[in-house]
Amino acid sequence: MATLSCQFHLAIHRLPCKARVRPCFSCSVQPSQSNIKVVINGAAKEIGRAAVIAVTKARGMEVAGAVDSYCVGEDIGKVCDMEEPLEIPIMNDLTMVLGSISQSKETGVVVDFTQPSAVYDNVKQATAFGLRSVVYVPRITVDTISALSAFCEKASMGCLVAPTLSIGSILLQQAAISASFHYNNVEIVESRAHATDLPSPDAIQIANNLSNLGQIYNREDLSTDVSARGQVLGEDGVRVHSMVLPGLPSSTTVYFSGPGEVYTIKHDITDVQCLMPGLLLAIRKVARLKE
């Protein structure tokens, strides 16, 4: 598909007094940018369904495939309760989906919402078919990330491993790093509706960010073994307290304190939709990466 662009130029030269100034038009045909073909691996999950809807509505990209072991054969549009079907059946064979997309010359991206044990092989398959990958899988190990980095660098193919897709969470982490240089006491309090993966990846990430900054926190009871004081993450005294109650939103609060004041940073997640702006940003970013 091509677009027609026209430019209007008004050129004025020294001409005889009776000469007219004539406008000049020039037209050129330019190829339009094609949509990014997006494959959602883990499409039947809550976050996968939200991703399908977000990509469908976004400019410059489109859903090209849906992979999951659930709802196999069903139209992903119907599974997502969209007004119209997308005419894209859910398949449980990633290789088959990648093969059908690789025949196109357009940029392709695989979004991986699967399991830590499957990530490396999934990215390897996507790379073999010339597609880049966005990975959002909690509890992915450092060894897996290192292996992915080495593999993608060798293959000169982009891969983005996102510890979070929440822009609010990233802003909280940045604010916490800035505050850590001004306060000697810090504690992380998080709440979740279900007791899985605690401390959460968000809390672990915040603690890692605050560590190795030349600051030792909570010196007054740094060595206490009282369980009610929470779990110490890292070697710099950052403590985390996890609260689990059905119905609670996913919330992370970081408390800093100094003489005569308390500084609080809080972020709540009430719906998986909050991850979609970050996902779309990651897809557009990885489409330009070479490693």
Side-chain angles (χ1 to χ4, degrees):
M1 183 181 292
T3 57
L4 182 66
S5 63
C6 297
Q7 298 178 337
F8 176 82
H9 302 282
L10 181 61
I12 300 178
H13 304 279
R14 292 185 178 180
L15 300 172
C17 59
K18 293 184 179 180
R20 295 182 179 180
V21 177
R22 297 181 179 179
C24 174
F25 292 90
S26 64
C27 297
S28 61
V29 178
Q30 299 177 346
S32 61
Q33 293 184 347
S34 57
N35 288 344
I36 301 172
K37 302 289 187 179
V38 181
V39 176
I40 308 296
N41 194 359
K45 297 182 178 181
E46 180 184 8
I47 188 173
R49 298 194 303 271
V52 169
I53 296 173
V55 170
T56 301
K57 294 180 178 180
R59 296 180 60 184
M61 63 183 71
E62 62 182 275
V63 177
V67 181
D68 209 297
S69 58
Y70 295 95
C71 303
V72 176
E74 296 186 34
D75 185 274
I76 186 59
K78 291 184 177 179
V79 173
C80 297
D81 295 326
M82 301 179 69
E83 294 182 358
E84 298 181 359
L86 294 179
E87 298 183 355
I88 299 175
I90 297 177
M91 304 181 69
N92 59 358
D93 190 335
L94 177 61
T95 303
M96 185 178 297
V97 175
L98 295 176
S100 63
I101 296 175
S102 64
Q103 299 176 3
S104 171
K105 296 183 179 180
E106 298 174 343
T107 301
V109 174
V110 178
V111 178
D112 197 320
F113 294 132
T114 59
Q115 303 294 329
S117 59
V119 167
Y120 183 82
D121 289 338
N122 291 342
V123 173
K124 192 173 181 179
Q125 286 188 65
T127 302
F129 283 96
L131 277 73
R132 296 163 173 82
S133 297
V134 171
V135 178
Y136 179 63
V137 177
R139 300 294 179 180
I140 187 171
T141 65
V142 176
D143 291 340
T144 300
I145 295 175
S146 299
L148 285 174
S149 178
F151 173 77
C152 292
E153 183 176 1
K154 184 177 180 180
S156 297
M157 184 64 67
C159 176
L160 192 154
V161 180
T164 181
L165 292 174
S166 167
I167 294 176
S169 178
I170 294 173
L171 293 174
L172 181 146
Q173 294 179 31
Q174 292 176 343
I177 292 173
S178 298
S180 68
F181 295 102
H182 305 282
Y183 297 97
N184 297 324
N185 300 286
V186 58
E187 308 233 348
I188 303 170
V189 179
E190 62 178 359
S191 66
R192 298 293 186 271
H194 305 287
T196 57
D197 293 335
L198 297 176
S200 70
D202 286 343
I204 294 174
Q205 184 67 45
I206 294 170
N208 290 338
N209 290 343
L210 299 182
S211 300
N212 302 316
L213 296 178
Q215 176 78 282
I216 301 298
Y217 308 98
N218 310 315
R219 292 176 180 270
E220 295 181 359
D221 63 346
L222 183 63
S223 59
T224 183
D225 57 357
V226 177
S227 57
R229 287 292 294 112
Q231 179 181 346
V232 177
L233 298 180
E235 300 179 355
D236 295 341
V238 180
R239 295 183 181 275
V240 60
H241 309 261
S242 300
M243 180 171 57
V244 179
L245 284 173
L248 283 178
S250 178
S251 177
T252 303
T253 306
V254 185
Y255 293 91
F256 292 92
S257 71
E261 67 174 341
V262 175
Y263 177 53
T264 305
I265 314 170
K266 184 177 182 181
H267 177 243
D268 294 337
I269 293 179
T270 58
D271 193 279
V272 72
Q273 292 295 333
C274 74
L275 306 179
M276 295 305 105
L279 174 62
L280 299 179
L281 182 63
I283 292 172
R284 293 188 174 101
K285 179 69 175 179
V286 78
R288 300 190 297 270
L289 290 180
K290 293 185 179 180
E291 61 182 19

